[in-house]
Amino acid sequence: MSKDLLTLPHPDERTVMEGYSQNPLDFFKNCAREFGEIVPVQLEDDLICLLTNPEHITEVLKNRVLFVKGKDLQILHRFLGNGLITSEGDFWQRQRRLTQPVFHQQRIEDYGAVMVEYTARILQTWREDEVRDVYNDMMRLTFNIVMKTLFDQDMTDNEANQILYSVEEAMNWYETQSVTNYADQGELTPADIRYQSAMEQLDQAMYAMIQQRREQGEMKRDLLSMLMQVQDADDGSKMSDLQLRDEAASLITAGHETTSNTLSWTWMLLAQHPQVREKLTQELKTVLDGRLPTLEDLPSLVYTTMIIKESMRLYPAVTDLSREATQDCEIGGYFIPKGCTLIMSQWVMHRDPRYFEDPEVFIPERWENDIEKQIPRGVYFPFGDGPRFCIGKSFAMMEAVLILATIAQKWKLELAPDCKIELQPSITLRPKHGIKVILKQV
Ligand code: HEM
């Protein structure tokens, strides 16, 4: 007989109201440290439950039928439609199978040269002592890389601005929608209106891209052509323009925001830790000796890779995953009612002193000796886990390491004296005021 969740220690209503709204990241971290491995939290009308036992986390993420994506995703649905991130069931499985080949190791290896070339291109405009918002630069760069590699689009600055603005507006709007307030609320606010107009712009850009490809008649080796050609095994139908739009918008959003945030936090950490930065410079000198990196260099860029892993530990681009129970079930001996939202937080687990020594400190060396394989599954999961784990994981790791190596061997980024760092946890963990840096040649 399973036990009642609410017999477990949990925060009172006032602590939830104040803590969650002020700082959801620290609120969950404090809950975990204070109340244990399963923490029920009554958030307005919803019962949510924070899990911090790695076995429970793995159990939930593995079972995509019993645990579907959480309610917060329903808000995203309006923006990303029925694409890979938001869809469920057989439909999701089919779309995942169709999209997978574009992310096969062999295929993504072709993308390495584009990643380095596009990075080298933006560096041509950088000048000594210039002050830049490197978050903005990383956003634009990773966006252009996704558009080129997956959609064979060379974006003009205007086109890029238009889509990036739409995505930004959608993210801002998402933040104003509370998890418990996802139903339509009647009257439109100015933020709703801005969001709708941004969505119209995004749709226009996506449909124009699809239309152009149809008119060209020529099919390419990229994701867009592949999705256009695929036929349903049962009825022979092809994807509609709406479906193509949803998949494209999902991959563009998931494929640039996450990597650009990871790189932005990495630049901040490097500026704050000169001894790490020095070690990175040494590795780049030894491995690259002034030339641009290639795919073949990746196995030798050991410290560079450890920096990215450590940066994703402290500042995971996705700070938590949520799943909703589709049936009554049990976790760790406790009764989980149908509809209960389970939270698995990278932010909490990645900073857990049970698994990481000095968990709040940036120490890339902790990833030496394959430590990743020694910590239990369910502790470090920047790319998620189970069947819904990130389809772009290898793409993103390769991209982050190549971009970091290309830039860091030429430029040192120091934080500008007026650089204001504030976390903005939204769909992804963003620096609220960007990351303002001063460029210095290495
Ligand atoms: C540092 C970079 C990245 C991080 C930290 C990251 C993280 C994640 C996480 C945590 C999930 C799982 C979400 C869940 O289970 O609810 C996910 C899913 C996904 N990611 Fe990534 N991601 C990154 C880069 C990318 C890139 C480069 C792409 C594509 C080009 C991408 C495409 C996707 C897609 C399509 C999904 C949904 C997969 C599915 O449900 O089948 N991601 N990502």
Side-chain angles (χ1 to χ4, degrees), residues 90-157:
D90 293 346
F91 184 79
W92 163 80
Q93 196 166 29
R94 183 186 98 128
Q95 295 300 108
R96 175 102 187 189
R97 204 180 51 241
L98 296 179
T99 312
Q100 198 73 57
V102 174
F103 292 97
H104 278 162
Q105 194 60 35
Q106 246 178 340
R107 198 70 174 269
I108 64 165
E109 287 178 1
D110 296 347
Y111 306 150
V114 174
M115 292 166 177
V116 174
E117 185 198 322
Y118 276 48
T119 310
R121 218 187 271 175
I122 67 155
L123 292 189
Q124 285 168 8
T125 63
W126 287 18
R127 299 285 171 261
E128 179 78 4
D129 290 327
E130 193 185 349
V131 178
R132 301 189 70 94
D133 177 3
V134 74
Y135 167 65
N136 214 10
D137 284 325
M138 294 301 106
M139 201 66 126
R140 209 156 261 277
L141 174 60
T142 53
F143 172 76
N144 284 335
I145 289 174
V146 161
M147 293 308 287
K148 180 66 186 172
T149 51
L150 302 186
F151 302 97
D152 197 24
Q153 300 278 313
D154 271 306
M155 306 301 285
T156 64
D157 281 350

Coordinates of all heavy atoms in Angstrom, one line a residue, residues 90-157:
D90 N 2.5 8.3 -30.4 CA 2.9 7.7 -31.7 C 3.4 8.8 -32.6 O 4.3 8.6 -33.4 CB 1.8 6.9 -32.3 CG 1.4 5.7 -31.5 OD1 2.2 5.3 -30.6 OD2 0.3 5.1 -31.8
F91 N 2.7 9.9 -32.6 CA 3.0 11.0 -33.5 C 4.5 11.5 -33.2 O 5.3 11.6 -34.1 CB 2.1 12.2 -33.3 CG 2.3 13.3 -34.2 CD1 1.8 13.2 -35.6 CD2 3.0 14.4 -33.9 CE1 2.1 14.2 -36.5 CE2 3.3 15.4 -34.8 CZ 2.8 15.3 -36.1
W92 N 4.8 11.7 -31.9 CA 6.1 12.1 -31.5 C 7.1 11.0 -32.0 O 8.2 11.4 -32.6 CB 6.3 12.3 -30.0 CG 7.7 12.3 -29.6 CD1 8.6 13.3 -29.7 CD2 8.5 11.2 -29.2 NE1 9.9 13.0 -29.3 CE2 9.8 11.6 -29.0 CE3 8.2 9.8 -28.9 CZ2 10.9 10.8 -28.5 CZ3 9.2 9.0 -28.4 CH2 10.5 9.5 -28.3
Q93 N 6.8 9.8 -31.8 CA 7.7 8.7 -32.1 C 8.1 8.7 -33.6 O 9.2 8.5 -34.0 CB 7.2 7.3 -31.7 CG 8.2 6.2 -31.7 CD 7.7 5.0 -31.0 OE1 6.4 4.7 -31.0 NE2 8.5 4.3 -30.4
R94 N 7.0 8.9 -34.4 CA 7.2 8.9 -35.9 C 8.1 10.1 -36.3 O 9.1 10.0 -37.0 CB 5.9 9.1 -36.6 CG 6.0 9.0 -38.1 CD 4.7 9.3 -38.7 NE 4.6 10.7 -39.1 CZ 4.3 11.1 -40.4 NH1 3.9 10.2 -41.3 NH2 4.2 12.4 -40.7
Q95 N 7.8 11.3 -35.7 CA 8.6 12.5 -36.0 C 10.1 12.3 -35.6 O 11.0 12.7 -36.3 CB 8.0 13.7 -35.4 CG 6.6 14.1 -35.9 CD 6.6 14.4 -37.4 OE1 6.1 13.6 -38.2 NE2 7.2 15.5 -37.8
R96 N 10.3 11.7 -34.4 CA 11.6 11.5 -33.9 C 12.4 10.6 -34.9 O 13.6 10.8 -35.2 CB 11.6 10.9 -32.5 CG 12.9 10.6 -31.9 CD 13.4 11.6 -30.9 NE 14.8 11.3 -30.5 CZ 15.4 12.0 -29.5 NH1 14.8 12.9 -28.9 NH2 16.6 11.7 -29.2
R97 N 11.7 9.5 -35.3 CA 12.4 8.6 -36.2 C 12.8 9.3 -37.5 O 13.8 9.1 -38.1 CB 11.4 7.4 -36.5 CG 12.1 6.1 -36.9 CD 11.2 5.0 -37.1 NE 10.1 5.3 -38.0 CZ 8.8 5.3 -37.7 NH1 8.4 4.9 -36.5 NH2 7.9 5.6 -38.6
L98 N 11.9 10.1 -38.0 CA 12.1 10.8 -39.3 C 13.3 11.8 -39.2 O 14.0 12.0 -40.1 CB 10.9 11.5 -39.8 CG 9.6 10.7 -40.1 CD1 8.5 11.5 -40.5 CD2 10.0 9.7 -41.2
T99 N 13.4 12.4 -38.0 CA 14.3 13.5 -37.9 C 15.7 13.0 -37.5 O 16.7 13.6 -37.9 CB 13.9 14.5 -36.7 OG1 12.5 14.8 -37.0 CG2 14.6 15.7 -36.7
Q100 N 15.7 11.8 -36.9 CA 17.0 11.3 -36.4 C 18.2 11.2 -37.4 O 19.3 11.6 -37.0 CB 16.7 9.8 -35.8 CG 17.8 9.3 -34.9 CD 17.7 10.0 -33.5 OE1 16.7 9.9 -32.9 NE2 18.8 10.6 -33.1
P101 N 18.0 10.8 -38.6 CA 19.1 10.7 -39.5 C 19.9 11.9 -39.7 O 21.1 11.9 -39.9 CB 18.5 10.3 -40.9 CG 17.2 9.7 -40.5 CD 16.7 10.3 -39.2
V102 N 19.3 13.1 -39.6 CA 20.0 14.4 -39.7 C 21.0 14.6 -38.6 O 21.9 15.3 -38.7 CB 19.0 15.5 -39.8 CG1 19.7 16.9 -39.8 CG2 18.1 15.4 -41.0
F103 N 20.8 13.9 -37.5 CA 21.6 14.0 -36.3 C 22.6 12.8 -36.1 O 23.2 12.7 -35.1 CB 20.8 14.2 -35.0 CG 20.1 15.6 -35.1 CD1 18.8 15.7 -35.5 CD2 20.8 16.7 -34.7 CE1 18.1 16.9 -35.5 CE2 20.1 18.0 -34.8 CZ 18.8 18.1 -35.2
H104 N 22.6 11.9 -37.1 CA 23.6 10.8 -37.0 C 25.0 11.3 -37.0 O 25.3 12.3 -37.6 CB 23.4 9.8 -38.1 CG 22.3 8.9 -37.8 ND1 21.7 8.1 -38.9 CD2 21.6 8.5 -36.7 CE1 20.7 7.4 -38.3 NE2 20.6 7.6 -37.0
Q105 N 25.8 10.6 -36.2 CA 27.2 11.1 -36.0 C 27.9 11.5 -37.4 O 28.4 12.6 -37.5 CB 28.0 10.0 -35.3 CG 29.4 10.5 -34.8 CD 29.2 11.6 -33.7 OE1 28.3 11.7 -33.0 NE2 30.2 12.6 -33.8
Q106 N 27.8 10.6 -38.3 CA 28.4 10.8 -39.6 C 27.9 12.1 -40.3 O 28.7 12.9 -40.8 CB 28.1 9.7 -40.6 CG 29.3 8.9 -40.9 CD 28.8 7.7 -41.8 OE1 27.7 7.4 -41.9 NE2 29.8 7.2 -42.6
R107 N 26.6 12.3 -40.2 CA 26.0 13.5 -40.8 C 26.5 14.8 -40.1 O 26.8 15.8 -40.7 CB 24.5 13.3 -40.7 CG 23.7 14.2 -41.6 CD 23.9 13.7 -43.0 NE 23.0 14.5 -43.9 CZ 21.8 14.1 -44.2 NH1 21.3 13.0 -43.8 NH2 21.0 14.8 -45.0
I108 N 26.4 14.8 -38.7 CA 26.8 16.0 -38.0 C 28.3 16.4 -38.2 O 28.6 17.5 -38.1 CB 26.4 16.1 -36.6 CG1 27.1 15.0 -35.7 CG2 24.9 16.0 -36.4 CD1 27.0 15.3 -34.2
E109 N 29.1 15.3 -38.6 CA 30.5 15.6 -38.8 C 30.7 16.6 -40.0 O 31.6 17.4 -40.0 CB 31.3 14.4 -39.0 CG 31.4 13.6 -37.7 CD 32.1 12.3 -37.7 OE1 32.5 11.9 -38.9 OE2 32.3 11.6 -36.7
D110 N 29.7 16.5 -40.9 CA 29.8 17.5 -42.1 C 29.6 18.9 -41.6 O 29.9 19.9 -42.2 CB 28.7 17.2 -43.1 CG 28.8 15.9 -43.7 OD1 29.9 15.3 -43.6 OD2 27.8 15.4 -44.4
Y111 N 28.9 19.1 -40.4 CA 28.5 20.4 -40.0 C 29.7 21.1 -39.3 O 29.7 22.3 -39.1 CB 27.4 20.4 -39.0 CG 26.1 19.6 -39.4 CD1 25.3 19.0 -38.5 CD2 25.8 19.6 -40.8 CE1 24.1 18.3 -39.0 CE2 24.6 18.9 -41.2 CZ 23.8 18.3 -40.3 OH 22.7 17.6 -40.7
G112 N 30.7 20.4 -38.9 CA 31.8 21.0 -38.1 C 32.5 22.1 -38.9 O 32.8 23.2 -38.3
A113 N 32.7 21.9 -40.2 CA 33.4 23.0 -41.0 C 32.5 24.3 -41.0 O 33.1 25.4 -40.9 CB 33.6 22.5 -42.4
V114 N 31.2 24.1 -41.1 CA 30.3 25.3 -41.1 C 30.4 26.0 -39.8 O 30.5 27.2 -39.7 CB 28.8 24.9 -41.3 CG1 27.9 26.0 -41.2 CG2 28.7 24.2 -42.7
M115 N 30.4 25.2 -38.7 CA 30.5 25.9 -37.4 C 31.8 26.7 -37.2 O 31.7 27.9 -36.8 CB 30.5 24.8 -36.3 CG 29.2 24.0 -36.2 SD 29.3 22.5 -35.2 CE 27.5 22.0 -35.3
V116 N 32.9 26.2 -37.7 CA 34.2 26.9 -37.5 C 34.2 28.1 -38.5 O 34.6 29.2 -38.1 CB 35.4 26.0 -37.8 CG1 36.7 26.8 -37.8 CG2 35.4 24.9 -36.7
E117 N 33.7 27.9 -39.7 CA 33.7 29.0 -40.7 C 32.9 30.2 -40.3 O 33.3 31.3 -40.4 CB 33.2 28.4 -42.1 CG 33.3 29.4 -43.2 CD 32.4 29.0 -44.3 OE1 32.3 27.8 -44.6 OE2 31.8 29.9 -44.9
Y118 N 31.7 29.9 -39.8 CA 30.8 31.0 -39.3 C 31.4 31.7 -38.1 O 31.2 32.9 -38.0 CB 29.4 30.4 -39.0 CG 28.5 30.3 -40.3 CD1 29.0 29.7 -41.4 CD2 27.2 30.8 -40.3 CE1 28.2 29.6 -42.5 CE2 26.4 30.7 -41.4 CZ 26.9 30.1 -42.5 OH 26.2 30.0 -43.6
T119 N 32.1 31.0 -37.3 CA 32.7 31.6 -36.1 C 33.8 32.5 -36.5 O 33.9 33.7 -36.1 CB 33.2 30.5 -35.1 OG1 32.2 29.6 -34.9 CG2 33.6 31.2 -33.8
A120 N 34.7 32.0 -37.4 CA 35.8 32.8 -37.9 C 35.3 34.0 -38.6 O 35.9 35.1 -38.5 CB 36.7 31.9 -38.9
R121 N 34.2 33.9 -39.3 CA 33.6 35.1 -40.0 C 33.2 36.2 -39.0 O 33.5 37.3 -39.3 CB 32.3 34.6 -40.7 CG 32.2 35.2 -42.1 CD 30.9 34.9 -42.7 NE 30.9 33.7 -43.5 CZ 29.8 33.1 -44.0 NH1 28.6 33.6 -43.8 NH2 29.9 32.0 -44.7
I122 N 32.6 35.9 -37.9 CA 32.2 37.0 -37.0 C 33.5 37.6 -36.3 O 33.5 38.8 -36.0 CB 31.2 36.6 -35.9 CG1 31.7 35.6 -34.9 CG2 29.8 36.2 -36.5 CD1 31.0 35.7 -33.5
L123 N 34.5 36.8 -36.2 CA 35.7 37.3 -35.5 C 36.4 38.4 -36.4 O 37.1 39.2 -35.9 CB 36.7 36.2 -35.3 CG 36.3 35.2 -34.2 CD1 37.4 34.2 -33.9 CD2 35.8 35.8 -33.0
Q124 N 36.1 38.3 -37.7 CA 36.8 39.4 -38.6 C 36.3 40.8 -38.2 O 37.0 41.7 -38.5 CB 36.4 39.1 -40.0 CG 37.2 37.9 -40.6 CD 36.6 37.4 -41.9 OE1 35.8 38.1 -42.5 NE2 37.1 36.3 -42.4
T125 N 35.2 40.9 -37.6 CA 34.7 42.2 -37.2 C 35.1 42.7 -35.8 O 34.8 43.8 -35.4 CB 33.1 42.3 -37.3 OG1 32.6 41.4 -36.3 CG2 32.6 41.9 -38.7
W126 N 35.7 41.8 -35.0 CA 36.0 42.1 -33.6 C 37.3 43.0 -33.6 O 38.2 42.7 -34.4 CB 36.2 40.8 -32.8 CG 34.9 40.1 -32.5 CD1 33.7 40.3 -33.1 CD2 34.7 39.2 -31.5 NE1 32.8 39.5 -32.6 CE2 33.3 38.8 -31.5 CE3 35.5 38.6 -30.5 CZ2 32.7 37.8 -30.7 CZ3 34.9 37.6 -29.6 CH2 33.5 37.3 -29.7
R127 N 37.3 43.9 -32.7 CA 38.5 44.8 -32.5 C 38.9 44.9 -31.1 O 38.1 44.8 -30.2 CB 38.1 46.2 -33.0 CG 37.6 46.4 -34.4 CD 38.8 46.3 -35.4 NE 38.3 46.2 -36.8 CZ 38.2 45.1 -37.5 NH1 38.6 44.0 -37.0 NH2 37.8 45.2 -38.7
E128 N 40.3 45.1 -30.9 CA 40.9 45.2 -29.6 C 40.1 46.3 -28.8 O 39.8 47.3 -29.3 CB 42.4 45.6 -29.8 CG 43.1 45.8 -28.5 CD 43.6 44.5 -27.8 OE1 43.3 43.4 -28.4 OE2 44.1 44.5 -26.7
D129 N 39.9 46.0 -27.5 CA 39.3 46.9 -26.5 C 37.8 47.2 -26.8 O 37.2 48.1 -26.2 CB 40.1 48.2 -26.4 CG 41.4 48.0 -25.7 OD1 41.5 47.1 -24.9 OD2 42.4 48.7 -26.1
E130 N 37.3 46.6 -27.8 CA 35.8 46.8 -28.1 C 35.0 46.2 -27.0 O 35.3 45.2 -26.4 CB 35.5 46.1 -29.5 CG 34.2 46.4 -30.1 CD 34.0 45.6 -31.3 OE1 34.9 44.9 -31.8 OE2 32.8 45.6 -31.8
V131 N 33.9 46.9 -26.7 CA 32.9 46.4 -25.7 C 31.7 45.7 -26.5 O 31.2 46.3 -27.4 CB 32.4 47.5 -24.8 CG1 31.3 46.9 -23.8 CG2 33.5 48.2 -24.1
R132 N 31.5 44.5 -26.2 CA 30.4 43.7 -26.9 C 29.5 43.0 -25.9 O 30.0 42.6 -24.8 CB 31.0 42.7 -27.9 CG 31.9 43.2 -28.9 CD 32.2 42.1 -29.9 NE 31.1 41.8 -30.7 CZ 30.9 42.4 -31.9 NH1 31.7 43.3 -32.4 NH2 29.8 42.0 -32.6
D133 N 28.3 42.7 -26.3 CA 27.4 41.8 -25.6 C 27.6 40.4 -26.2 O 27.1 40.1 -27.3 CB 26.0 42.3 -25.7 CG 25.1 41.3 -25.0 OD1 25.6 40.3 -24.3 OD2 23.8 41.5 -25.0
V134 N 28.4 39.6 -25.5 CA 28.8 38.3 -26.2 C 27.6 37.4 -26.2 O 27.5 36.5 -27.0 CB 30.0 37.7 -25.5 CG1 29.7 37.1 -24.1 CG2 30.7 36.6 -26.3
Y135 N 26.6 37.6 -25.4 CA 25.4 36.8 -25.4 C 24.7 37.0 -26.7 O 24.2 36.1 -27.4 CB 24.5 37.2 -24.2 CG 23.1 36.7 -24.3 CD1 22.8 35.4 -24.2 CD2 22.0 37.6 -24.4 CE1 21.5 34.9 -24.3 CE2 20.7 37.1 -24.5 CZ 20.4 35.8 -24.4 OH 19.1 35.3 -24.4
N136 N 24.6 38.3 -27.1 CA 24.0 38.6 -28.4 C 24.8 38.0 -29.6 O 24.2 37.4 -30.5 CB 24.1 40.1 -28.5 CG 23.0 40.7 -29.3 OD1 22.0 40.0 -29.5 ND2 23.1 42.0 -29.6
D137 N 26.1 38.0 -29.5 CA 27.0 37.4 -30.5 C 26.7 35.9 -30.6 O 26.7 35.4 -31.7 CB 28.4 37.7 -30.2 CG 28.8 39.1 -30.6 OD1 28.3 39.7 -31.5 OD2 29.7 39.7 -29.8
M138 N 26.7 35.3 -29.5 CA 26.5 33.8 -29.5 C 25.2 33.4 -30.0 O 25.0 32.4 -30.7 CB 26.7 33.2 -28.0 CG 28.1 33.4 -27.5 SD 29.4 32.6 -28.5 CE 30.2 34.0 -29.3
M139 N 24.2 34.2 -29.7 CA 22.8 33.9 -30.1 C 22.7 34.0 -31.7 O 22.2 33.1 -32.3 CB 21.9 35.1 -29.6 CG 20.5 34.8 -29.5 SD 20.2 33.5 -28.3 CE 19.1 34.2 -27.3
R140 N 23.3 35.0 -32.2 CA 23.3 35.2 -33.7 C 24.1 34.1 -34.4 O 23.7 33.5 -35.4 CB 24.0 36.5 -33.9 CG 23.6 37.2 -35.1 CD 23.9 38.7 -34.9 NE 22.7 39.4 -34.5 CZ 21.8 39.8 -35.3 NH1 22.0 39.6 -36.6 NH2 20.7 40.4 -34.9
L141 N 25.3 33.8 -33.8 CA 26.1 32.8 -34.4 C 25.5 31.4 -34.4 O 25.4 30.7 -35.4 CB 27.5 32.7 -33.6 CG 28.5 31.6 -33.9 CD1 28.9 31.8 -35.4 CD2 29.7 31.7 -33.0
T142 N 24.9 31.0 -33.2 CA 24.4 29.6 -33.2 C 23.1 29.6 -34.0 O 22.8 28.5 -34.6 CB 24.0 29.2 -31.7 OG1 23.2 30.2 -31.1 CG2 25.3 29.0 -30.9
F143 N 22.4 30.7 -34.1 CA 21.2 30.7 -35.0 C 21.6 30.5 -36.4 O 21.1 29.7 -37.1 CB 20.5 32.1 -34.8 CG 19.4 32.3 -35.7 CD1 18.2 31.7 -35.6 CD2 19.5 33.2 -36.8 CE1 17.1 31.8 -36.5 CE2 18.5 33.4 -37.7 CZ 17.3 32.7 -37.6
N144 N 22.6 31.3 -36.9 CA 23.1 31.2 -38.3 C 23.6 29.8 -38.6 O 23.4 29.2 -39.7 CB 24.2 32.2 -38.6 CG 23.6 33.6 -38.7 OD1 22.4 33.7 -39.1 ND2 24.3 34.6 -38.5
I145 N 24.2 29.1 -37.6 CA 24.7 27.8 -37.8 C 23.6 26.8 -38.0 O 23.6 25.9 -38.9 CB 25.7 27.4 -36.6 CG1 27.0 28.2 -36.7 CG2 25.9 25.9 -36.7 CD1 27.9 28.0 -35.6
V146 N 22.5 26.9 -37.1 CA 21.4 26.0 -37.3 C 20.7 26.2 -38.6 O 20.4 25.2 -39.3 CB 20.4 26.2 -36.1 CG1 19.0 25.7 -36.5 CG2 20.9 25.5 -34.9
M147 N 20.6 27.5 -39.0 CA 19.9 27.7 -40.3 C 20.6 27.2 -41.4 O 20.1 26.7 -42.4 CB 19.7 29.3 -40.5 CG 18.7 29.9 -39.5 SD 17.1 29.1 -39.3 CE 16.3 29.5 -40.9
K148 N 22.0 27.2 -41.4 CA 22.8 26.7 -42.5 C 22.8 25.2 -42.5 O 22.6 24.6 -43.5 CB 24.2 27.3 -42.4 CG 25.1 26.9 -43.5 CD 24.7 27.4 -44.8 CE 25.5 26.9 -46.0 NZ 24.9 27.3 -47.3
T149 N 23.1 24.6 -41.3 CA 23.3 23.2 -41.3 C 22.0 22.4 -41.5 O 22.0 21.4 -42.2 CB 23.9 22.7 -40.0 OG1 23.2 23.3 -38.9 CG2 25.4 23.2 -39.8
L150 N 20.9 22.9 -40.9 CA 19.7 22.1 -41.0 C 18.7 22.5 -42.1 O 17.9 21.7 -42.6 CB 18.9 22.1 -39.6 CG 19.6 21.6 -38.4 CD1 18.7 21.6 -37.2 CD2 20.3 20.3 -38.6
F151 N 18.9 23.8 -42.5 CA 17.9 24.3 -43.5 C 18.6 24.9 -44.7 O 17.9 25.5 -45.6 CB 17.0 25.4 -42.8 CG 16.2 24.8 -41.6 CD1 16.7 25.0 -40.3 CD2 15.1 24.0 -41.8 CE1 16.0 24.4 -39.3 CE2 14.4 23.5 -40.8 CZ 14.9 23.7 -39.5
D152 N 19.9 24.8 -44.8 CA 20.7 25.3 -45.9 C 20.3 26.8 -46.2 O 20.2 27.1 -47.4 CB 20.5 24.4 -47.1 CG 21.6 24.7 -48.1 OD1 22.7 25.2 -47.7 OD2 21.4 24.5 -49.4
Q153 N 20.1 27.6 -45.2 CA 19.8 29.0 -45.4 C 21.0 29.9 -44.9 O 21.4 29.8 -43.8 CB 18.6 29.4 -44.5 CG 17.3 28.6 -44.8 CD 16.6 29.2 -46.0 OE1 16.4 30.4 -46.1 NE2 16.2 28.3 -46.9
D154 N 21.4 30.7 -45.8 CA 22.4 31.8 -45.4 C 21.5 33.0 -45.1 O 20.9 33.6 -46.0 CB 23.3 32.1 -46.6 CG 24.5 31.2 -46.5 OD1 25.2 31.2 -45.5 OD2 24.8 30.5 -47.5
M155 N 21.4 33.4 -43.8 CA 20.5 34.4 -43.5 C 21.2 35.8 -43.6 O 22.3 36.0 -43.3 CB 20.1 34.3 -42.0 CG 19.6 33.0 -41.6 SD 18.1 32.5 -42.5 CE 16.9 33.5 -41.8
T156 N 20.4 36.7 -44.2 CA 20.9 38.1 -44.1 C 20.7 38.6 -42.7 O 19.9 38.0 -42.0 CB 20.1 39.0 -45.1 OG1 18.7 39.1 -44.6 CG2 20.1 38.5 -46.5
D157 N 21.3 39.8 -42.4 CA 21.1 40.3 -41.0 C 19.7 40.6 -40.7 O 19.1 40.3 -39.7 CB 21.9 41.5 -40.8 CG 23.4 41.2 -40.5 OD1 23.7 40.0 -40.3 OD2 24.2 42.1 -40.6

